[in-house]
PDB file of all heavy atoms in Angstrom:
ATOM      1  N   ARG A   1     126.243 153.709  28.471  1.00  0.00           N
ATOM      2  CA  ARG A   1     126.320 153.243  27.119  1.00  0.00           C
ATOM      3  C   ARG A   1     125.906 151.794  26.997  1.00  0.00           C
ATOM      4  O   ARG A   1     125.234 151.371  26.069  1.00  0.00           O
ATOM      5  CB  ARG A   1     127.785 153.461  26.560  1.00  0.00           C
ATOM      6  CG  ARG A   1     127.896 153.142  25.129  1.00  0.00           C
ATOM      7  CD  ARG A   1     129.134 153.801  24.560  1.00  0.00           C
ATOM      8  NE  ARG A   1     130.369 153.316  25.097  1.00  0.00           N
ATOM      9  CZ  ARG A   1     131.205 153.970  25.931  1.00  0.00           C
ATOM     10  NH1 ARG A   1     130.962 155.247  26.158  1.00  0.00           N
ATOM     11  NH2 ARG A   1     132.315 153.433  26.372  1.00  0.00           N
ATOM     12  N   MET A   2     126.264 150.989  27.990  1.00  0.00           N
ATOM     13  CA  MET A   2     125.924 149.562  27.986  1.00  0.00           C
ATOM     14  C   MET A   2     124.398 149.367  28.137  1.00  0.00           C
ATOM     15  O   MET A   2     123.824 148.589  27.542  1.00  0.00           O
ATOM     16  CB  MET A   2     126.703 148.826  29.081  1.00  0.00           C
ATOM     17  CG  MET A   2     128.181 148.612  28.820  1.00  0.00           C
ATOM     18  SD  MET A   2     128.483 147.764  27.235  1.00  0.00           S
ATOM     19  CE  MET A   2     127.594 146.212  27.471  1.00  0.00           C
ATOM     20  N   LEU A   3     123.875 150.177  29.002  1.00  0.00           N
ATOM     21  CA  LEU A   3     122.362 150.114  29.216  1.00  0.00           C
ATOM     22  C   LEU A   3     121.681 150.497  27.982  1.00  0.00           C
ATOM     23  O   LEU A   3     120.713 149.806  27.532  1.00  0.00           O
ATOM     24  CB  LEU A   3     121.990 151.033  30.332  1.00  0.00           C
ATOM     25  CG  LEU A   3     122.429 150.618  31.728  1.00  0.00           C
ATOM     26  CD1 LEU A   3     121.976 151.769  32.769  1.00  0.00           C
ATOM     27  CD2 LEU A   3     121.730 149.338  32.167  1.00  0.00           C
ATOM     28  N   GLY A   4     122.144 151.479  27.268  1.00  0.00           N
ATOM     29  CA  GLY A   4     121.524 151.837  25.966  1.00  0.00           C
ATOM     30  C   GLY A   4     121.654 150.700  24.890  1.00  0.00           C
ATOM     31  O   GLY A   4     120.747 150.480  24.119  1.00  0.00           O
ATOM     32  N   ALA A   5     122.899 150.090  24.881  1.00  0.00           N
ATOM     33  CA  ALA A   5     123.118 149.040  23.940  1.00  0.00           C
ATOM     34  C   ALA A   5     122.207 147.876  24.125  1.00  0.00           C
ATOM     35  O   ALA A   5     121.922 147.089  23.221  1.00  0.00           O
ATOM     36  CB  ALA A   5     124.583 148.620  23.985  1.00  0.00           C
ATOM     37  N   LEU A   6     121.690 147.668  25.354  1.00  0.00           N
ATOM     38  CA  LEU A   6     120.761 146.568  25.726  1.00  0.00           C
ATOM     39  C   LEU A   6     119.311 146.952  25.588  1.00  0.00           C
ATOM     40  O   LEU A   6     118.413 146.283  26.105  1.00  0.00           O
ATOM     41  CB  LEU A   6     121.084 146.073  27.107  1.00  0.00           C
ATOM     42  CG  LEU A   6     122.401 145.275  27.198  1.00  0.00           C
ATOM     43  CD1 LEU A   6     122.799 145.145  28.624  1.00  0.00           C
ATOM     44  CD2 LEU A   6     122.261 143.930  26.580  1.00  0.00           C
ATOM     45  N   GLY A   7     119.061 148.102  24.853  1.00  0.00           N
ATOM     46  CA  GLY A   7     117.721 148.391  24.618  1.00  0.00           C
ATOM     47  C   GLY A   7     116.935 149.056  25.684  1.00  0.00           C
ATOM     48  O   GLY A   7     115.651 149.131  25.665  1.00  0.00           O
ATOM     49  N   ILE A   8     117.514 149.606  26.718  1.00  0.00           N
ATOM     50  CA  ILE A   8     116.895 150.216  27.818  1.00  0.00           C
ATOM     51  C   ILE A   8     116.633 151.755  27.465  1.00  0.00           C
ATOM     52  O   ILE A   8     117.610 152.462  27.164  1.00  0.00           O
ATOM     53  CB  ILE A   8     117.686 150.185  29.086  1.00  0.00           C
ATOM     54  CG1 ILE A   8     117.751 148.693  29.529  1.00  0.00           C
ATOM     55  CG2 ILE A   8     117.101 151.042  30.191  1.00  0.00           C
ATOM     56  CD1 ILE A   8     118.483 148.446  30.805  1.00  0.00           C
ATOM     57  N   ALA A   9     115.418 152.160  27.439  1.00  0.00           N
ATOM     58  CA  ALA A   9     115.088 153.559  27.099  1.00  0.00           C
ATOM     59  C   ALA A   9     115.585 154.527  28.189  1.00  0.00           C
ATOM     60  O   ALA A   9     115.577 154.171  29.339  1.00  0.00           O
ATOM     61  CB  ALA A   9     113.581 153.717  26.922  1.00  0.00           C
ATOM     62  N   GLU A  10     115.983 155.672  27.796  1.00  0.00           N
ATOM     63  CA  GLU A  10     116.444 156.718  28.688  1.00  0.00           C
ATOM     64  C   GLU A  10     117.560 156.126  29.668  1.00  0.00           C
ATOM     65  O   GLU A  10     117.389 156.148  30.870  1.00  0.00           O
ATOM     66  CB  GLU A  10     115.304 157.380  29.497  1.00  0.00           C
ATOM     67  CG  GLU A  10     114.323 158.054  28.623  1.00  0.00           C
ATOM     68  CD  GLU A  10     113.199 158.679  29.472  1.00  0.00           C
ATOM     69  OE1 GLU A  10     112.519 157.894  30.169  1.00  0.00           O
ATOM     70  OE2 GLU A  10     113.010 159.874  29.338  1.00  0.00           O
ATOM     71  N   PRO A  11     118.625 155.600  29.109  1.00  0.00           N
ATOM     72  CA  PRO A  11     119.651 154.943  29.918  1.00  0.00           C
ATOM     73  C   PRO A  11     120.260 155.841  30.996  1.00  0.00           C
ATOM     74  O   PRO A  11     120.578 155.371  32.054  1.00  0.00           O
ATOM     75  CB  PRO A  11     120.657 154.478  28.944  1.00  0.00           C
ATOM     76  CG  PRO A  11     120.478 155.355  27.713  1.00  0.00           C
ATOM     77  CD  PRO A  11     119.056 155.631  27.695  1.00  0.00           C
ATOM     78  N   GLU A  12     120.357 157.148  30.705  1.00  0.00           N
ATOM     79  CA  GLU A  12     120.934 158.110  31.674  1.00  0.00           C
ATOM     80  C   GLU A  12     120.044 158.147  32.930  1.00  0.00           C
ATOM     81  O   GLU A  12     120.522 158.141  34.029  1.00  0.00           O
ATOM     82  CB  GLU A  12     121.134 159.488  31.125  1.00  0.00           C
ATOM     83  CG  GLU A  12     122.080 159.590  30.006  1.00  0.00           C
ATOM     84  CD  GLU A  12     121.464 159.309  28.671  1.00  0.00           C
ATOM     85  OE1 GLU A  12     120.268 158.955  28.590  1.00  0.00           O
ATOM     86  OE2 GLU A  12     122.073 159.463  27.607  1.00  0.00           O
ATOM     87  N   LEU A  13     118.731 158.162  32.722  1.00  0.00           N
ATOM     88  CA  LEU A  13     117.821 158.246  33.825  1.00  0.00           C
ATOM     89  C   LEU A  13     117.701 156.926  34.535  1.00  0.00           C
ATOM     90  O   LEU A  13     117.666 156.841  35.747  1.00  0.00           O
ATOM     91  CB  LEU A  13     116.433 158.686  33.362  1.00  0.00           C
ATOM     92  CG  LEU A  13     115.258 158.802  34.353  1.00  0.00           C
ATOM     93  CD1 LEU A  13     115.602 159.878  35.418  1.00  0.00           C
ATOM     94  CD2 LEU A  13     113.943 159.100  33.676  1.00  0.00           C
ATOM     95  N   ARG A  14     117.689 155.855  33.756  1.00  0.00           N
ATOM     96  CA  ARG A  14     117.565 154.518  34.349  1.00  0.00           C
ATOM     97  C   ARG A  14     118.788 154.126  35.192  1.00  0.00           C
ATOM     98  O   ARG A  14     118.642 153.352  36.134  1.00  0.00           O
ATOM     99  CB  ARG A  14     117.257 153.477  33.257  1.00  0.00           C
ATOM    100  CG  ARG A  14     116.844 152.098  33.766  1.00  0.00           C
ATOM    101  CD  ARG A  14     115.639 152.203  34.668  1.00  0.00           C
ATOM    102  NE  ARG A  14     114.468 152.609  34.029  1.00  0.00           N
ATOM    103  CZ  ARG A  14     113.334 152.992  34.551  1.00  0.00           C
ATOM    104  NH1 ARG A  14     113.332 152.953  35.918  1.00  0.00           N
ATOM    105  NH2 ARG A  14     112.271 153.370  33.916  1.00  0.00           N
ATOM    106  N   ALA A  15     119.920 154.616  34.827  1.00  0.00           N
ATOM    107  CA  ALA A  15     121.147 154.332  35.503  1.00  0.00           C
ATOM    108  C   ALA A  15     121.024 154.795  37.033  1.00  0.00           C
ATOM    109  O   ALA A  15     121.742 154.233  37.882  1.00  0.00           O
ATOM    110  CB  ALA A  15     122.351 154.945  34.915  1.00  0.00           C
ATOM    111  N   LYS A  16     120.138 155.744  37.259  1.00  0.00           N
ATOM    112  CA  LYS A  16     120.005 156.276  38.641  1.00  0.00           C
ATOM    113  C   LYS A  16     118.978 155.494  39.390  1.00  0.00           C
ATOM    114  O   LYS A  16     118.797 155.765  40.592  1.00  0.00           O
ATOM    115  CB  LYS A  16     119.562 157.769  38.563  1.00  0.00           C
ATOM    116  CG  LYS A  16     120.543 158.642  37.819  1.00  0.00           C
ATOM    117  CD  LYS A  16     120.017 160.080  37.697  1.00  0.00           C
ATOM    118  CE  LYS A  16     121.049 160.971  36.886  1.00  0.00           C
ATOM    119  NZ  LYS A  16     120.534 162.340  36.699  1.00  0.00           N
ATOM    120  N   SER A  17     118.304 154.540  38.753  1.00  0.00           N
ATOM    121  CA  SER A  17     117.265 153.744  39.518  1.00  0.00           C
ATOM    122  C   SER A  17     117.931 152.691  40.364  1.00  0.00           C
ATOM    123  O   SER A  17     119.048 152.231  40.172  1.00  0.00           O
ATOM    124  CB  SER A  17     116.347 153.020  38.494  1.00  0.00           C
ATOM    125  OG  SER A  17     115.677 154.012  37.633  1.00  0.00           O
ATOM    126  N   TYR A  18     117.155 152.292  41.408  1.00  0.00           N
ATOM    127  CA  TYR A  18     117.617 151.217  42.326  1.00  0.00           C
ATOM    128  C   TYR A  18     116.870 149.927  41.954  1.00  0.00           C
ATOM    129  O   TYR A  18     115.828 149.978  41.253  1.00  0.00           O
ATOM    130  CB  TYR A  18     117.306 151.575  43.781  1.00  0.00           C
ATOM    131  CG  TYR A  18     118.110 152.672  44.299  1.00  0.00           C
ATOM    132  CD1 TYR A  18     117.888 154.023  44.010  1.00  0.00           C
ATOM    133  CD2 TYR A  18     119.304 152.410  45.018  1.00  0.00           C
ATOM    134  CE1 TYR A  18     118.722 155.031  44.481  1.00  0.00           C
ATOM    135  CE2 TYR A  18     120.175 153.384  45.471  1.00  0.00           C
ATOM    136  CZ  TYR A  18     119.844 154.704  45.201  1.00  0.00           C
ATOM    137  OH  TYR A  18     120.676 155.734  45.633  1.00  0.00           O
ATOM    138  N   PRO A  19     117.482 148.768  42.249  1.00  0.00           N
ATOM    139  CA  PRO A  19     116.851 147.510  41.815  1.00  0.00           C
ATOM    140  C   PRO A  19     115.430 147.366  42.104  1.00  0.00           C
ATOM    141  O   PRO A  19     114.722 146.736  41.273  1.00  0.00           O
ATOM    142  CB  PRO A  19     117.732 146.444  42.563  1.00  0.00           C
ATOM    143  CG  PRO A  19     119.079 147.122  42.704  1.00  0.00           C
ATOM    144  CD  PRO A  19     118.773 148.541  42.987  1.00  0.00           C
ATOM    145  N   HIS A  20     114.916 147.859  43.251  1.00  0.00           N
ATOM    146  CA  HIS A  20     113.517 147.679  43.542  1.00  0.00           C
ATOM    147  C   HIS A  20     112.626 148.535  42.635  1.00  0.00           C
ATOM    148  O   HIS A  20     111.384 148.346  42.651  1.00  0.00           O
ATOM    149  CB  HIS A  20     113.229 148.007  44.985  1.00  0.00           C
ATOM    150  CG  HIS A  20     113.331 149.451  45.322  1.00  0.00           C
ATOM    151  ND1 HIS A  20     114.547 150.066  45.628  1.00  0.00           N
ATOM    152  CD2 HIS A  20     112.388 150.449  45.390  1.00  0.00           C
ATOM    153  CE1 HIS A  20     114.294 151.363  45.843  1.00  0.00           C
ATOM    154  NE2 HIS A  20     112.979 151.612  45.727  1.00  0.00           N
ATOM    155  N   GLN A  21     113.169 149.414  41.839  1.00  0.00           N
ATOM    156  CA  GLN A  21     112.448 150.305  40.992  1.00  0.00           C
ATOM    157  C   GLN A  21     112.339 149.861  39.547  1.00  0.00           C
ATOM    158  O   GLN A  21     111.779 150.464  38.667  1.00  0.00           O
ATOM    159  CB  GLN A  21     113.042 151.713  40.995  1.00  0.00           C
ATOM    160  CG  GLN A  21     112.979 152.409  42.382  1.00  0.00           C
ATOM    161  CD  GLN A  21     113.785 153.775  42.417  1.00  0.00           C
ATOM    162  OE1 GLN A  21     114.861 153.819  41.946  1.00  0.00           O
ATOM    163  NE2 GLN A  21     113.074 154.734  42.980  1.00  0.00           N
ATOM    164  N   ILE A  22     112.896 148.688  39.263  1.00  0.00           N
ATOM    165  CA  ILE A  22     112.920 148.202  37.875  1.00  0.00           C
ATOM    166  C   ILE A  22     112.337 146.812  37.843  1.00  0.00           C
ATOM    167  O   ILE A  22     112.182 146.090  38.850  1.00  0.00           O
ATOM    168  CB  ILE A  22     114.331 148.093  37.321  1.00  0.00           C
ATOM    169  CG1 ILE A  22     115.294 147.174  38.151  1.00  0.00           C
ATOM    170  CG2 ILE A  22     114.966 149.524  37.274  1.00  0.00           C
ATOM    171  CD1 ILE A  22     116.619 146.983  37.625  1.00  0.00           C
ATOM    172  N   SER A  23     111.917 146.354  36.686  1.00  0.00           N
ATOM    173  CA  SER A  23     111.261 145.090  36.503  1.00  0.00           C
ATOM    174  C   SER A  23     112.327 143.950  36.499  1.00  0.00           C
ATOM    175  O   SER A  23     113.489 144.219  36.383  1.00  0.00           O
ATOM    176  CB  SER A  23     110.426 145.029  35.199  1.00  0.00           C
ATOM    177  OG  SER A  23     111.329 145.131  34.036  1.00  0.00           O
ATOM    178  N   GLY A  24     111.824 142.715  36.567  1.00  0.00           N
ATOM    179  CA  GLY A  24     112.673 141.613  36.478  1.00  0.00           C
ATOM    180  C   GLY A  24     113.426 141.503  35.139  1.00  0.00           C
ATOM    181  O   GLY A  24     114.591 141.191  35.089  1.00  0.00           O
ATOM    182  N   GLY A  25     112.728 141.747  34.086  1.00  0.00           N
ATOM    183  CA  GLY A  25     113.357 141.825  32.760  1.00  0.00           C
ATOM    184  C   GLY A  25     114.452 142.862  32.598  1.00  0.00           C
ATOM    185  O   GLY A  25     115.500 142.579  32.026  1.00  0.00           O
ATOM    186  N   MET A  26     114.197 144.040  33.151  1.00  0.00           N
ATOM    187  CA  MET A  26     115.165 145.121  33.148  1.00  0.00           C
ATOM    188  C   MET A  26     116.322 144.775  34.017  1.00  0.00           C
ATOM    189  O   MET A  26     117.539 145.069  33.663  1.00  0.00           O
ATOM    190  CB  MET A  26     114.555 146.424  33.532  1.00  0.00           C
ATOM    191  CG  MET A  26     115.508 147.651  33.294  1.00  0.00           C
ATOM    192  SD  MET A  26     114.672 149.191  33.484  1.00  0.00           S
ATOM    193  CE  MET A  26     113.524 149.209  32.159  1.00  0.00           C
ATOM    194  N   ALA A  27     116.069 144.140  35.162  1.00  0.00           N
ATOM    195  CA  ALA A  27     117.186 143.706  36.056  1.00  0.00           C
ATOM    196  C   ALA A  27     118.125 142.673  35.339  1.00  0.00           C
ATOM    197  O   ALA A  27     119.313 142.712  35.465  1.00  0.00           O
ATOM    198  CB  ALA A  27     116.570 143.109  37.258  1.00  0.00           C
ATOM    199  N   GLN A  28     117.523 141.818  34.514  1.00  0.00           N
ATOM    200  CA  GLN A  28     118.301 140.894  33.798  1.00  0.00           C
ATOM    201  C   GLN A  28     119.199 141.567  32.748  1.00  0.00           C
ATOM    202  O   GLN A  28     120.361 141.227  32.601  1.00  0.00           O
ATOM    203  CB  GLN A  28     117.414 139.895  33.001  1.00  0.00           C
ATOM    204  CG  GLN A  28     118.100 138.801  32.270  1.00  0.00           C
ATOM    205  CD  GLN A  28     118.634 137.741  33.218  1.00  0.00           C
ATOM    206  OE1 GLN A  28     119.487 138.034  33.998  1.00  0.00           O
ATOM    207  NE2 GLN A  28     118.050 136.517  33.149  1.00  0.00           N
ATOM    208  N   ARG A  29     118.687 142.643  32.119  1.00  0.00           N
ATOM    209  CA  ARG A  29     119.504 143.390  31.231  1.00  0.00           C
ATOM    210  C   ARG A  29     120.608 144.154  31.927  1.00  0.00           C
ATOM    211  O   ARG A  29     121.733 144.328  31.408  1.00  0.00           O
ATOM    212  CB  ARG A  29     118.662 144.356  30.441  1.00  0.00           C
ATOM    213  CG  ARG A  29     117.870 143.630  29.245  1.00  0.00           C
ATOM    214  CD  ARG A  29     117.124 144.607  28.408  1.00  0.00           C
ATOM    215  NE  ARG A  29     115.788 144.863  29.038  1.00  0.00           N
ATOM    216  CZ  ARG A  29     114.923 145.823  28.565  1.00  0.00           C
ATOM    217  NH1 ARG A  29     115.246 146.494  27.540  1.00  0.00           N
ATOM    218  NH2 ARG A  29     113.737 145.977  29.199  1.00  0.00           N
ATOM    219  N   VAL A  30     120.328 144.636  33.093  1.00  0.00           N
ATOM    220  CA  VAL A  30     121.412 145.288  33.927  1.00  0.00           C
ATOM    221  C   VAL A  30     122.498 144.331  34.256  1.00  0.00           C
ATOM    222  O   VAL A  30     123.673 144.690  34.173  1.00  0.00           O
ATOM    223  CB  VAL A  30     120.748 145.870  35.236  1.00  0.00           C
ATOM    224  CG1 VAL A  30     121.842 146.332  36.230  1.00  0.00           C
ATOM    225  CG2 VAL A  30     119.793 147.062  34.925  1.00  0.00           C
ATOM    226  N   MET A  31     122.145 143.082  34.636  1.00  0.00           N
ATOM    227  CA  MET A  31     123.184 142.070  34.895  1.00  0.00           C
ATOM    228  C   MET A  31     124.007 141.757  33.655  1.00  0.00           C
ATOM    229  O   MET A  31     125.236 141.625  33.724  1.00  0.00           O
ATOM    230  CB  MET A  31     122.473 140.769  35.367  1.00  0.00           C
ATOM    231  CG  MET A  31     121.958 140.916  36.815  1.00  0.00           C
ATOM    232  SD  MET A  31     123.225 141.227  38.018  1.00  0.00           S
ATOM    233  CE  MET A  31     124.302 139.839  37.808  1.00  0.00           C
ATOM    234  N   ILE A  32     123.368 141.759  32.550  1.00  0.00           N
ATOM    235  CA  ILE A  32     124.077 141.511  31.269  1.00  0.00           C
ATOM    236  C   ILE A  32     125.044 142.635  30.980  1.00  0.00           C
ATOM    237  O   ILE A  32     126.205 142.451  30.497  1.00  0.00           O
ATOM    238  CB  ILE A  32     123.107 141.231  30.105  1.00  0.00           C
ATOM    239  CG1 ILE A  32     122.333 139.954  30.340  1.00  0.00           C
ATOM    240  CG2 ILE A  32     123.830 141.186  28.792  1.00  0.00           C
ATOM    241  CD1 ILE A  32     121.172 139.679  29.424  1.00  0.00           C
ATOM    242  N   ALA A  33     124.514 143.822  31.203  1.00  0.00           N
ATOM    243  CA  ALA A  33     125.375 145.075  31.029  1.00  0.00           C
ATOM    244  C   ALA A  33     126.614 145.045  31.940  1.00  0.00           C
ATOM    245  O   ALA A  33     127.726 145.368  31.462  1.00  0.00           O
ATOM    246  CB  ALA A  33     124.535 146.318  31.213  1.00  0.00           C
ATOM    247  N   MET A  34     126.380 144.615  33.160  1.00  0.00           N
ATOM    248  CA  MET A  34     127.449 144.499  34.144  1.00  0.00           C
ATOM    249  C   MET A  34     128.524 143.489  33.654  1.00  0.00           C
ATOM    250  O   MET A  34     129.722 143.677  33.757  1.00  0.00           O
ATOM    251  CB  MET A  34     126.896 144.108  35.490  1.00  0.00           C
ATOM    252  CG  MET A  34     127.947 144.302  36.662  1.00  0.00           C
ATOM    253  SD  MET A  34     127.204 143.786  38.210  1.00  0.00           S
ATOM    254  CE  MET A  34     125.836 144.957  38.279  1.00  0.00           C
ATOM    255  N   ALA A  35     127.990 142.372  33.156  1.00  0.00           N
ATOM    256  CA  ALA A  35     128.945 141.265  32.676  1.00  0.00           C
ATOM    257  C   ALA A  35     129.680 141.719  31.447  1.00  0.00           C
ATOM    258  O   ALA A  35     130.914 141.343  31.335  1.00  0.00           O
ATOM    259  CB  ALA A  35     128.126 140.047  32.413  1.00  0.00           C
ATOM    260  N   LEU A  36     129.102 142.454  30.511  1.00  0.00           N
ATOM    261  CA  LEU A  36     129.758 142.754  29.254  1.00  0.00           C
ATOM    262  C   LEU A  36     130.539 144.099  29.340  1.00  0.00           C
ATOM    263  O   LEU A  36     131.304 144.351  28.405  1.00  0.00           O
ATOM    264  CB  LEU A  36     128.713 142.839  28.153  1.00  0.00           C
ATOM    265  CG  LEU A  36     127.946 141.580  27.835  1.00  0.00           C
ATOM    266  CD1 LEU A  36     126.886 141.822  26.707  1.00  0.00           C
ATOM    267  CD2 LEU A  36     128.920 140.522  27.467  1.00  0.00           C
ATOM    268  N   ALA A  37     130.411 144.867  30.362  1.00  0.00           N
ATOM    269  CA  ALA A  37     131.002 146.184  30.449  1.00  0.00           C
ATOM    270  C   ALA A  37     132.503 146.142  30.359  1.00  0.00           C
ATOM    271  O   ALA A  37     133.141 147.042  29.778  1.00  0.00           O
ATOM    272  CB  ALA A  37     130.606 146.961  31.704  1.00  0.00           C
ATOM    273  N   CYS A  38     133.149 145.116  30.949  1.00  0.00           N
ATOM    274  CA  CYS A  38     134.629 145.022  30.944  1.00  0.00           C
ATOM    275  C   CYS A  38     135.103 144.180  29.776  1.00  0.00           C
ATOM    276  O   CYS A  38     136.251 143.798  29.679  1.00  0.00           O
ATOM    277  CB  CYS A  38     135.128 144.376  32.240  1.00  0.00           C
ATOM    278  SG  CYS A  38     134.830 145.426  33.657  1.00  0.00           S
ATOM    279  N   ARG A  39     134.182 143.770  28.813  1.00  0.00           N
ATOM    280  CA  ARG A  39     134.554 143.039  27.668  1.00  0.00           C
ATOM    281  C   ARG A  39     135.369 141.797  27.956  1.00  0.00           C
ATOM    282  O   ARG A  39     136.560 141.655  27.673  1.00  0.00           O
ATOM    283  CB  ARG A  39     135.301 143.952  26.676  1.00  0.00           C
ATOM    284  CG  ARG A  39     134.551 145.155  26.202  1.00  0.00           C
ATOM    285  CD  ARG A  39     135.425 146.126  25.530  1.00  0.00           C
ATOM    286  NE  ARG A  39     135.802 145.795  24.186  1.00  0.00           N
ATOM    287  CZ  ARG A  39     135.184 145.998  23.074  1.00  0.00           C
ATOM    288  NH1 ARG A  39     134.000 146.606  23.148  1.00  0.00           N
ATOM    289  NH2 ARG A  39     135.653 145.591  21.936  1.00  0.00           N
ATOM    290  N   PRO A  40     134.760 140.881  28.745  1.00  0.00           N
ATOM    291  CA  PRO A  40     135.440 139.683  29.265  1.00  0.00           C
ATOM    292  C   PRO A  40     135.878 138.765  28.100  1.00  0.00           C
ATOM    293  O   PRO A  40     135.406 138.781  27.003  1.00  0.00           O
ATOM    294  CB  PRO A  40     134.412 139.005  30.095  1.00  0.00           C
ATOM    295  CG  PRO A  40     133.127 139.389  29.470  1.00  0.00           C
ATOM    296  CD  PRO A  40     133.347 140.800  29.015  1.00  0.00           C
ATOM    297  N   ARG A  41     136.869 137.903  28.395  1.00  0.00           N
ATOM    298  CA  ARG A  41     137.315 136.915  27.432  1.00  0.00           C
ATOM    299  C   ARG A  41     136.398 135.721  27.442  1.00  0.00           C
ATOM    300  O   ARG A  41     136.333 134.973  26.463  1.00  0.00           O
ATOM    301  CB  ARG A  41     138.786 136.527  27.720  1.00  0.00           C
ATOM    302  CG  ARG A  41     139.700 137.658  27.599  1.00  0.00           C
ATOM    303  CD  ARG A  41     141.080 137.356  28.153  1.00  0.00           C
ATOM    304  NE  ARG A  41     141.591 136.223  27.419  1.00  0.00           N
ATOM    305  CZ  ARG A  41     142.413 135.328  28.031  1.00  0.00           C
ATOM    306  NH1 ARG A  41     142.647 135.425  29.337  1.00  0.00           N
ATOM    307  NH2 ARG A  41     142.864 134.284  27.416  1.00  0.00           N
ATOM    308  N   LEU A  42     135.747 135.435  28.602  1.00  0.00           N
ATOM    309  CA  LEU A  42     134.776 134.328  28.614  1.00  0.00           C
ATOM    310  C   LEU A  42     133.556 134.860  29.323  1.00  0.00           C
ATOM    311  O   LEU A  42     133.645 135.378  30.465  1.00  0.00           O
ATOM    312  CB  LEU A  42     135.346 133.161  29.416  1.00  0.00           C
ATOM    313  CG  LEU A  42     134.298 132.024  29.841  1.00  0.00           C
ATOM    314  CD1 LEU A  42     133.791 131.359  28.606  1.00  0.00           C
ATOM    315  CD2 LEU A  42     135.063 130.997  30.697  1.00  0.00           C
ATOM    316  N   LEU A  43     132.310 134.666  28.722  1.00  0.00           N
ATOM    317  CA  LEU A  43     131.112 135.029  29.291  1.00  0.00           C
ATOM    318  C   LEU A  43     130.354 133.806  29.612  1.00  0.00           C
ATOM    319  O   LEU A  43     130.134 132.922  28.737  1.00  0.00           O
ATOM    320  CB  LEU A  43     130.313 135.859  28.372  1.00  0.00           C
ATOM    321  CG  LEU A  43     128.810 136.193  28.836  1.00  0.00           C
ATOM    322  CD1 LEU A  43     128.834 137.083  30.008  1.00  0.00           C
ATOM    323  CD2 LEU A  43     127.975 136.825  27.686  1.00  0.00           C
ATOM    324  N   ILE A  44     129.953 133.606  30.854  1.00  0.00           N
ATOM    325  CA  ILE A  44     129.112 132.493  31.284  1.00  0.00           C
ATOM    326  C   ILE A  44     127.669 133.010  31.462  1.00  0.00           C
ATOM    327  O   ILE A  44     127.447 133.855  32.339  1.00  0.00           O
ATOM    328  CB  ILE A  44     129.591 131.806  32.516  1.00  0.00           C
ATOM    329  CG1 ILE A  44     131.078 131.324  32.409  1.00  0.00           C
ATOM    330  CG2 ILE A  44     128.726 130.674  33.006  1.00  0.00           C
ATOM    331  CD1 ILE A  44     131.678 130.908  33.695  1.00  0.00           C
ATOM    332  N   ALA A  45     126.789 132.611  30.614  1.00  0.00           N
ATOM    333  CA  ALA A  45     125.449 133.064  30.647  1.00  0.00           C
ATOM    334  C   ALA A  45     124.529 132.016  31.016  1.00  0.00           C
ATOM    335  O   ALA A  45     124.228 131.062  30.293  1.00  0.00           O
ATOM    336  CB  ALA A  45     125.054 133.600  29.258  1.00  0.00           C
TER     337      ALA A  45
END
């Protein structure tokens, strides 16, 4: 759901990808998804 919220197409399929299979921009969105998934009280970006 977080991958989809960040504009990644076919998030179910992309969730199965490994870091070497994605672009740098997509890796950045994955990191943002990881940071926001637990709904933190403070986000350092």
Side-chain angles (χ1 to χ4, degrees):
R1 188 161 62 245
M2 288 303 303
L3 291 174
L6 287 163
I8 294 179
E10 299 181 302
E12 296 88 352
L13 180 62
R14 191 54 65 191
K16 300 176 183 177
S17 299
Y18 289 83
H20 71 274
Q21 297 174 314
I22 62 178
S23 66
M26 189 171 292
Q28 186 73 293
R29 281 183 276 172
V30 168
M31 288 298 301
I32 295 171
M34 190 181 303
L36 296 179
C38 292
R39 300 166 73 88
R41 297 170 56 215
L42 171 63
L43 174 68
I44 302 174

